[in-house]
Amino acid sequence: MAELAAPAVGDWDFPRGTASIELMTRFAAERGLPAEKLLAATTLSPELLTDAGVQVDARQELAVVRALSELDGSDATALELGSRYRVTTFGIFGFACISSPTLRDAMLFALRYFDLSFAFCIPRVTLESDRLTLELDDTRVPADVARFLVLRDLAAIFTVMRDLLPEIALDDLSFRHPAAAPDAYLTTFGLRPRFDADACRATLDPELLLLPLPQANDQTVALCAAQCEALVTRRRQRSGISQQVRERLVRLGGVDAGMDEIARQLTLSTRTLRRRLTEAGTSYRALVDEVRHTLAEELLDTGVLSVEDVAYRLGYAEASSFIYAFKRWTGMTPAAFARRFRAARQAPPGRSASAGSGSSR
């Protein structure tokens, strides 16, 4: 078994555009779900979603995913949402893939520039003489949205693959979670999957890799590749300042030292730091929230510290302020999160506590 190529990133926490968030808010609105609730946990406004130049941290998209799954976290919803991600959703990245000579070229390109996608589950593509295997790794995805994102991401990948090569079909499909909504899976993937398996895995005929893509164009793919290279370079450079602020806040244990102090540590003026964070699609307040959110989940997961202890360690004067902030981040209280997260971690292999019914969180 040989790996076709490793993805450019090994984790989901990479900066991304707003097209995916905009798609999810439209999807929610079509179902009568309040789009404003999806954005409430972010620093984004509906107006910013229409600006192709805006870059956001992955945790902002994750907050929207979490809000959507809390409103309707059924398998059918996750699969239908994933099917809305067409090749054009990905902009110049998508055009490069569809203009590639063969499916193999398109897959290699997608893995090379994977941080231009909107995925949270990391793909591993392996090739054997008799099958091509795509496996999604969700081990780094928060447990409460892992099932939803596995379904969304794989449905999106398969939908885009059909945009590239309409005759594509899966030979086999399996998921780690228990069975639910079989008709929705059949509609999305064209076959009924196996459940309670050891991995989320799709297999295809390797001969598909060699088929020419209908819209292949050497000049177009070369132009798109150059633009993707420039775009991903800019994103990685812009994300640098966000990471530097994160690192300093983590060293402080999530305690808010103030923007002036962080700017001083970075040898920048407060005004310059604010401008550079805006260019990176975030803000100092959003990063403080992000770091506190991450540390809060880690501290609560230990099962050793009380809610009051966690609040104190993160710099909150009162536990009530921390509880309010945590509910804004996750939609649940710290105590409820701790119970739920530990239950998910302790669930037997092949099952997740959050997926017991298969239709809700």
Side-chain angles (χ1 to χ4, degrees):
M1 181 185 296
E3 189 169 15
L4 188 65
V9 292
D11 201 350
W12 54 264
D13 196 10
F14 51 84
R16 47 191 73 200
T18 59
S20 179
I21 297 177
E22 195 274 334
L23 184 153
M24 285 190 283
T25 58
R26 283 190 287 109
F27 180 83
E30 290 172 8
R31 282 151 183 74
L33 302 176
E36 60 273 12
K37 186 168 183 178
L38 268 63
L39 295 179
T42 76
T43 59
L44 298 170
S45 65
E47 294 73 28
L48 277 178
L49 298 185
T50 62
D51 186 344
V54 172
Q55 171 186 301
V56 300
D57 288 331
R59 288 186 177 274
Q60 299 222 52
E61 181 171 343
L62 182 65
V64 175
V65 170
R66 180 172 277 126
L68 180 56
S69 68
E70 290 292 339
L71 290 169
D72 182 357
S74 67
D75 288 6
T77 295
L79 291 168
E80 186 176 353
L81 173 63
S83 299
R84 295 295 187 91
Y85 288 78
R86 309 304 298 266
V87 70
T88 52
T89 306
F90 299 86
I92 198 69
F93 174 61
F95 284 115
C97 292
I98 206 169
S99 304
S100 298
T102 66
L103 182 63
R104 181 190 183 95
D105 294 311
M107 293 181 77
L108 288 172
F109 188 94
L111 292 168
R112 180 182 176 188
Y113 293 104
F114 190 71
D115 45 344
L116 292 181
S117 75
F118 303 110
F120 284 84
C121 303
I122 305 301
R124 181 170 182 255
V125 183
T126 55
L127 180 61
E128 298 178 79
S129 59
D130 60 339
R131 65 177 176 267
L132 173 69
T133 303
L134 168 65
E135 188 171 312
L136 289 188
D137 179 6
D138 67 341
T139 56
R140 295 177 180 269
V141 179
D144 62 315
V145 289
R147 177 170 178 161
F148 191 90
L149 281 169
V150 162
L151 296 178
R152 188 204 73 161
D153 287 358
L154 189 60
I157 290 171
F158 185 61
T159 300
V160 169
M161 290 175 70
R162 284 191 299 190
D163 282 343
L164 303 180
L165 196 65
E167 62 265 37
I168 203 165
L170 298 179
D171 290 339
D172 189 52
L173 179 63
S174 63
F175 292 97
R176 290 191 298 119
H177 56 253
D183 290 341
Y185 287 86
L186 180 62
T187 299
T188 302
F189 299 111
L191 80 171
R192 295 182 186 275
R194 293 178 293 109
F195 297 95
D196 291 310
D198 64 338
C200 170
R201 185 183 297 119
T203 61
L204 305 88
D205 183 347
E207 295 293 328
L208 292 169
L209 288 175
L210 304 177
L211 294 181
L213 299 186
Q215 299 186 54
N217 185 294
D218 290 342
Q219 289 183 329
T220 301
V221 75
L223 177 63
C224 291
Q227 293 187 46
C228 284
E229 182 65 32
L231 177 58
V232 80
T233 298
R234 287 198 304 272
R235 283 193 181 178
R236 290 168 184 170
Q237 288 174 342
R238 288 180 179 180
S239 63
I241 188 64
S242 300
Q243 187 59 29
Q244 290 175 52
V245 173
R246 284 192 197 96
E247 289 172 355
R248 281 154 180 80
L249 290 170
V250 168
R251 289 175 200 165
L252 294 168
V255 176
D256 183 4
M259 193 172 184
D260 292 344
E261 172 58 22
I262 298 298
R264 187 192 65 77
Q265 293 182 23
L266 294 171
T267 65
L268 298 172
S269 69
T270 303
R271 181 177 180 182
T272 299
L273 177 58
R274 181 180 292 108
R275 175 178 56 79
R276 290 181 62 181
L277 289 174
T278 300
E279 290 173 351
T282 188
S283 67
Y284 176 74
R285 176 49 50 195
L287 292 175
V288 171
D289 268 7
E290 178 186 320
V291 169
R292 282 178 160 175
H293 179 185
T294 300
L295 293 177
E297 291 188 354
E298 292 176 356
L299 292 170
L300 289 167
D301 187 40
T302 66
V304 175
L305 299 175
S306 68
V307 171
E308 290 75 15
D309 289 336
V310 173
Y312 175 76
R313 290 184 179 223
L314 294 178
Y316 287 93
E318 298 178 351
S320 59
S321 299
F322 168 60
I323 294 170
Y324 176 83
F326 196 88
K327 288 184 69 176
R328 175 167 53 84
W329 298 330
T330 67
M332 64 183 76
T333 65
F337 172 86
R339 290 193 299 270
R340 185 168 173 177
F341 194 85
R342 286 197 294 273
R345 290 284 296 272
Q346 295 166 5
R351 291 185 179 272
S352 66
S354 63
S357 69
S359 60
S360 64
R361 291 290 185 272

